[in-house]
Amino acid sequence: MRTQIGIIGAGPAGLLLAHLLHLAGIESVVLEARSRRYVEGRIRAGLLEQGTVDILTQGGVADRLHREGMVHEGLELRFDGEGHRIDLHGLTGRRVTIYGQQEVVKDLIAARLGYGGPLVFEAEDVALHGLDGERPRITWREGGEARSLDCDIVAGCDGFHGICRDSIPPGHLTVYERVYPFAWLGILAAAPPASHELIYARHARGFALATMRSPTLSRLYLQCRPDEDLAQWPDSRIWEELHRRFERRDGARQVKEGPILQKGITAMRSFVAEPMRYGRLFLAGDAAHIVPPTGAKGMNLAVADVYYLAQALEAFCRGQGMAALDGYSRRCLARIWKAQRFSWWMTAMLHRFDEADAFEHKVQLAELAYVCESRAGAMTLAENYVGLPLE
Ligand code: APR
Ligand code: PHB
């Protein structure tokens, strides 16, 4: 088999890249290790920057997103038992949309299959060869049978645990990393959201976030230990902890209980591998970088990467040669590091750090007060949260 662009991974990055290339008349093959059912059912974050919504809309894959997505113009920061609204729209003129990542994935898979674009699920033992030559080759096994694909370029969109980053020979990548001393315990519950907007709560017992998927589905997160055992968290303990962390001075209980449909632990890590390229392999999304979810940037960064990559590949396929791809990594990394900084800052400002002393604790509270009371402080949060421009 032969194609122009071989894409590894059918997450938001790989699927959107395949779609943008299709719109530009460029052929690709997408290889995914898991089943369709698995990738469509995997629950991840769900906040889309306006720029992300615009890219999906221009690509013609946002009809359901516009019908079912929940548009938000602000968020609440809660600390010391009091809520403070950040008016995202008033400050920036921009909005964000709540729409689950797996819904974006479902829409992109439907679009891909709708025009008969090659998309292989359950591709086993995917391996990359000849990345430093002119004709890279991808091999894999499908239902026990050996397959191979020659292509001009390989797009590594296989997430943090994929094989693409590790296919780069030692010495070519520089890794920057921070592992946080906590994780998030997340639940999906059949209960109305606590509030019509997201609540980011800083509490002496640890951070908590109240978000949603629909008017009848809540998504709630609690800061927990990185090695937390879910078996120690029966439903009653989760609800009790949520009530405490969202407590208000007036005693109002806002979190609404309902059957818990899903529970999971999310590790918290900041990670960047530079450059996002080796020979004819280009990394995009989680394959190259990870942010802690506090800034809601993971999927948005993946979308921005493939938006830039699709533009560069278009120029390459029009005959501009490999030079068309030279700026890709630099262009992505300039924006990625700003999102890294923001995600790290939000994480530091809102979480409980066990080793923090009384001084650091006071500074953390002062920072939150500054962000809420000063227009400049609120703007710093707002312009990053709604998404920095995609140049
Ligand atoms: N071969 C083929 N596919 C693979 C392999 C492999 N060896 N390893 C992993 N994959 C697949 C995964 O099963 C997954 O479907 O690659 C896909 C990568 O998708 P994501 O992990 O969703 O990564 P990405 O598309 O970059 O999207 C980033 O995902 O983790 C969230 O917060 C993150 O929202 C962000 C988004
Ligand atoms: C989510 O809706 O899952 C979500 C929203 C905002 C975040 C993290 C997760 O910062």
Side-chain angles (χ1 to χ4, degrees):
M1 257 214 294
R2 220 215 92 67
T3 192
Q4 289 175 283
I5 317 296
I7 301 176
I8 316 299
L15 289 166
L16 181 60
L17 179 63
H19 186 70
L20 296 175
L21 293 176
H22 167 74
L23 295 177
I26 299 169
E27 280 176 22
S28 67
V29 173
V30 182
L31 300 176
E32 163 61 47
R34 303 289 194 149
S35 67
R36 177 177 182 183
R37 198 186 151 90
Y38 182 90
V39 297
E40 291 191 343
R42 190 164 46 192
I43 299 182
R44 296 269 186 81
L47 190 128
L48 309 186
E49 295 172 359
Q50 192 165 316
T52 297
V53 172
D54 291 346
I55 290 170
L56 295 169
T57 304
Q58 284 155 20
V61 282
D63 292 352
R64 194 162 68 92
L65 157 61
H66 287 292
R67 277 199 312 275
E68 298 177 14
M70 303 168 90
V71 175
H72 285 203
E73 299 197 338
L75 60 80
E76 180 181 324
L77 293 180
R78 185 171 297 186
F79 53 98
D80 268 350
E82 257 176 65
H84 307 261
R85 182 168 190 266
I86 303 290
D87 181 3
L88 299 171
H89 184 252
L91 287 159
T92 66
R94 295 172 81 76
R95 303 175 170 87
V96 294
T97 302
I98 286 284
Y99 189 65
Q101 177 170 316
Q102 82 271 27
E103 305 305 324
V104 174
V105 164
K106 281 182 204 163
D107 295 344
L108 288 167
I109 289 175
R112 180 79 177 164
L113 299 177
Y115 59 76
L119 167 52
V120 178
F121 290 102
E122 299 177 74
E124 296 160 36
D125 301 332
V126 173
L128 311 181
H129 315 270
L131 295 171
D132 52 358
E134 303 237 310
R135 183 59 36 102
R137 171 170 287 186
I138 306 170
T139 57
W140 72 99
R141 299 183 71 77
E142 214 175 304
E145 231 173 273
R147 307 291 300 268
S148 87
L149 173 71
D150 289 334
C151 44
D152 297 323
I153 300 287
V154 179
C157 304
D158 53 349
F160 187 63
H161 300 287
I163 52 102
C164 289
R165 194 178 61 251
D166 290 343
S167 304
I168 298 177
H172 289 272
L173 288 183
T174 305
V175 165
Y176 301 87
E177 190 169 24
R178 176 133 314 178
V179 178
Y180 298 90
F182 40 73
W184 283 10
L185 190 167
I187 63 164
L188 186 71
S195 159
H196 69 290
E197 292 179 342
L198 271 57
I199 309 175
Y200 288 80
R202 183 228 172 262
H203 191 275
R205 296 176 64 83
F207 170 75
L209 169 63
T211 167
M212 64 200 72
R213 285 294 175 270
S214 78
T216 53
L217 264 187
S218 311
R219 179 102 175 117
L220 295 139
Y221 299 97
L222 285 171
Q223 177 183 349
C224 63
R225 290 200 325 268
D227 58 349
E228 198 72 58
D229 176 10
L230 270 182
Q232 303 299 312
W233 287 86
D235 296 5
S236 58
R237 179 173 174 210
I238 293 176
W239 291 118
E240 203 40 51
E241 194 61 31
L242 285 166
H243 290 309
R244 288 176 81 165
R245 296 199 193 175
F246 288 105
E247 77 192 352
R248 286 204 322 208
R249 218 174 272 162
D250 61 14
R253 276 197 161 195
Q254 266 179 305
V255 173
K256 296 171 186 79
E257 295 187 23
I260 296 182
L261 309 175
Q262 197 261 355
K263 276 185 211 178
I265 306 269
T266 308
M268 302 280 281
R269 184 195 292 267
S270 299
F271 176 98
V272 182
E274 293 190 9
M276 292 164 62
R277 168 189 186 172
Y278 171 74
R280 290 191 174 232
L281 168 67
F282 292 80
L283 301 177
D286 276 18
H289 45 76
I290 294 276
V291 285
T294 330
K297 291 283 165 252
M299 176 171 31
N300 296 294
L301 282 178
V303 167
D305 287 355
V306 298
Y307 177 73
Y308 291 151
L309 186 53
Q311 285 180 353
L313 289 170
E314 248 187 277
F316 167 79
C317 292
R318 273 198 312 265
Q320 289 182 23
M322 289 303 286
L325 292 157
D326 283 348
Y328 166 71
S329 176
R330 200 173 346 104
R331 197 176 177 202
C332 289
L333 286 165
R335 197 168 178 279
I336 287 161
W337 273 111
K338 290 177 198 133
Q340 284 288 354
R341 185 210 67 85
F342 176 67
S343 305
W344 161 84
W345 174 70
M346 285 283 278
T347 302
M349 181 168 70
L350 287 160
H351 286 75
R352 174 196 151 94
F353 287 78
D354 285 342
E355 71 279 15
D357 61 17
F359 179 85
E360 284 159 324
H361 178 86
K362 284 284 192 187
V363 167
Q364 195 183 39
L365 284 170
E367 181 152 38
L368 278 162
Y370 170 68
V371 164
C372 296
E373 290 159 18
S374 147
R375 187 181 165 84
M379 180 64 97
T380 286
L381 190 152
E383 72 171 348
N384 282 283
Y385 193 85
V386 300
L388 293 174
L390 275 149
E391 281 116 31

